[in-house]
Amino acid sequence: MGPAHAARRQPGVPPARAPTRRGAVMADVAINVEDVSKRFRIYHERNQSVKSAVMRRGRARFEEFWALRDVDLEIPYGKTYGLVGHNGSGKSTLLKCLARILVPDKGRVVANGRISALLELGAGFHPELSGRDNVYLNGSILGLSRRDIDARFDDIVEFAGLEQFIDTPVKNYSSGMYVRLGFSVAINVEPDILLVDEVLAVGDEAFQRRSAAKFDQFRDEGRTIVVVSHALGSVRNMCDEVAWLDHGRVLEVGPADAVVGKYADATTQTPTEPAHVHPSDVRMTGLTALVDGRPVQELAVGSPIDLRLEWQADRAVAGLLLAVQLRTSDGMLIGTARSDALGPLTLGPGTGAVDLHLESWPTAAGTYVLDAVVLEQGEPERELDRLSDAARLAVVAEGARGHEGLILLGGSWS
Ligand SMILES: Nc1ncnc2c1ncn2[C@@H]1O[C@H](COP(=O)(O)OP(=O)(O)OP(=O)(O)O)[C@@H](O)[C@H]1O
Ligand SMILES: [Mg+2]
């Protein structure tokens, strides 16, 4: 984790904390996000062989995908601003656009002040260099002179709590140590605007407390903070204003309490709006978990269960394959079940359902999310549609013991 990047103060644009007459119009806006759209290309071949490349005559098979769509936001100066939204809704992409690590395909971002950012794990650090060298490297990327960094060095190391490890190559750091050093650099370079992407949770409790105090101090000093987080309680406590992103669009902006409340309601009532990623003639329309033929949202550890995948097709489509993917509630893929055993499927025209029976539910207690996927067989295989977050299951156990972790390890002892 590193302080990833800085947009240096643009010549002629005064920092908003000391607005001049020229800056007065902008003085209350730290970052203006003007109709920003960002597009990615999704390439389909995973195991690209020479043969398949020749068959395609060198053409790449990809689909375009808009991760951000017409995002229009004014991030006020001196406020703590939160971004919430489901996995893949575009929060990190937006932060990267603010940090100028990504360039929008449409629209623009106007920042008023020095930005420092703490983005993904590992970003901004050189693994072979020591913590000390990385502090100097990052400080200089963030626009500080060697003397500036000398003056701040001890504070940076102390805040990170890495005195003993500062001359160790950062490749030997734990993820918590990475985050601590990255965050410490990012805040000690005196940014006007600090961007933080859901990373602070990695540090230990003492560090989290120090970070929270630093956020308060930043706020009191009138600096601007933009945070991305799934920890809705913290967002509600920390933030003045919140924007809710949904499939790359802004769904709601307003006071933290109100927006977080609405977002929380929406995610618990409709298990995170299912998202169709690919347009196609055949679509996944639902996934229902059934115990003894009855739909459930909760089940006991180890129970047998049926997962019913519902599909819709505009015409008959042959050569298909269905899959279910199981994820943790924060998006980590745990497992996949595919319909290969049924042979190539022909679906449509119309609607229908296919069941997957599990003899015993494979995870420990917790909340789990299921995606329903339809693929086209072939070389390469192609994902036609995915219903993300199609169902959410609360897996419950009597007593918490033995349920640390994700899966049931089981086994027999002797
Ligand atoms: N470099 C990339 N190439 C292709 N697609 C990408 C790239 N980066 C992000 N995406 C896609 O853009 C969408 C938005 O991703 P982003 O990381 O911004 O989501 P997020 O809101 O931060 O999600 P999370 O809560 O899981 O962190 C996702 O569908 C993601 O797969
Ligand atoms: Mg993210």
Side-chain angles (χ1 to χ4, degrees):
M1 177 102 20
H5 188 84
R8 298 201 194 177
R9 221 164 251 156
Q10 292 152 353
V13 180
R17 263 183 305 152
T20 62
R21 221 165 259 133
R22 260 186 76 207
V25 182
M26 287 284 294
D28 51 353
V29 179
I31 307 180
N32 217 340
V33 182
E34 299 172 4
D35 273 324
V36 163
S37 296
K38 178 68 197 172
R39 174 183 52 196
F40 290 118
R41 285 179 171 177
I42 305 166
Y43 291 84
H44 288 296
E45 51 279 291
R46 294 216 179 110
N47 308 309
Q48 190 171 10
S49 66
V50 173
K51 187 179 155 206
S52 68
V54 170
M55 305 271 286
R56 284 182 290 100
R57 287 168 233 225
R59 276 174 300 140
R61 280 177 93 185
F62 62 82
E63 280 176 53
E64 289 190 340
F65 163 73
W66 290 91
L68 293 175
R69 210 75 208 240
D70 306 325
V71 174
D72 216 14
L73 294 173
E74 267 187 14
I75 299 178
Y77 204 84
K79 295 282 162 68
T80 302
Y81 199 93
L83 296 175
V84 298
H86 60 84
N87 293 131
S89 56
K91 304 178 295 295
S92 299
T93 305
L94 179 57
L95 270 198
K96 287 179 196 160
C97 289
L98 302 186
R100 301 190 191 287
I101 288 168
L102 289 177
V103 179
D105 292 289
K106 285 200 283 181
R108 61 177 194 152
V109 173
V110 182
N112 194 23
R114 187 218 296 266
I115 296 183
S116 97
L118 186 61
L119 303 174
E120 282 148 333
L121 201 70
F125 279 148
H126 193 300
E128 302 294 334
L129 297 181
S130 66
R132 180 186 302 275
D133 292 342
N134 270 297
V135 169
Y136 278 90
L137 181 67
N138 272 294
S140 71
I141 295 172
L142 289 161
L144 299 189
S145 69
R146 192 167 181 99
R147 272 177 57 196
D148 288 337
I149 305 168
D150 285 340
R152 293 174 168 89
F153 187 80
D154 290 344
D155 287 345
I156 293 176
V157 177
E158 193 196 324
F159 186 90
L162 289 171
E163 291 89 342
Q164 292 169 46
F165 302 97
I166 199 63
D167 290 308
T168 305
V170 300
K171 67 178 179 196
N172 297 327
Y173 281 16
S174 69
S175 47
M177 289 159 79
Y178 256 104
V179 173
R180 274 149 47 192
L181 190 60
F183 185 62
S184 188
V185 175
I187 55 172
N188 279 292
V189 297
E190 308 270 315
D192 300 303
I193 302 163
L194 176 67
L195 313 176
V196 185
D197 194 350
E198 186 87 74
V199 289
L200 295 176
V202 182
D204 57 27
E205 222 181 294
F207 181 76
Q208 286 188 33
R209 243 180 288 122
R210 277 209 298 283
S211 308
K214 200 72 193 182
F215 281 137
D216 287 345
Q217 180 199 328
F218 259 52
R219 227 169 119 138
D220 295 344
E221 290 167 354
R223 299 177 207 261
T224 310
I225 305 172
V226 184
V227 283
V228 166
S229 181
H230 289 283
L232 297 184
S234 321
V235 172
R236 202 176 227 153
N237 290 335
M238 266 181 73
C239 297
D240 302 295
E241 251 182 74
V242 169
W244 168 9
L245 287 179
D246 186 272
H247 301 115
R249 293 178 191 271
V250 176
L251 208 60
E252 199 88 43
V253 189
D257 247 357
V259 176
V260 170
K262 277 191 193 168
Y263 173 64
D265 285 350
T267 43
T268 48
Q269 279 161 21
T270 50
T272 322
E273 265 189 35
H276 290 283
V277 180
H278 304 294
S280 130
D281 288 335
V282 48
R283 292 173 299 280
M284 300 311 299
T285 52
L287 193 161
T288 313
L290 302 164
V291 171
D292 296 329
R294 281 196 311 273
V296 293
Q297 267 150 21
E298 195 180 289
L299 85 157
V301 161
S303 329
I305 189 171
D306 291 297
L307 300 174
R308 178 160 298 164
L309 283 74
E310 283 142 43
W311 51 263
Q312 181 181 359
D314 297 339
R315 59 181 180 89
V317 185
L320 301 178
L321 165 63
L322 297 175
V324 173
Q325 291 199 313
L326 173 65
R327 300 179 182 279
T328 59
S329 56
D330 54 11
M332 187 178 88
L333 182 61
I334 305 173
T336 304
R338 293 161 51 108
S339 70
D340 300 79
L342 294 175
L345 301 171
T346 302
L347 303 180
T351 60
V354 175
D355 284 358
L356 166 68
H357 179 71
L358 299 180
E359 226 17 89
S360 89
W361 179 261
T363 74
T367 301
Y368 295 89
V369 175
L370 295 158
D371 290 359
V373 189
V374 56
L375 302 118
E376 181 183 52
Q377 292 188 329
E379 216 18 84
E381 225 169 56
R382 191 158 86 98
E383 186 172 307
L384 296 180
D385 191 37
R386 169 182 296 265
L387 195 60
S388 298
D389 260 345
R392 209 162 257 248
L393 277 177
V395 180
V396 295
E398 274 179 33
R401 265 187 219 157
H403 287 274
E404 298 87 5
L406 292 179
I407 59 163
L408 296 169
L409 200 48
S412 54
W413 294 85
S414 58

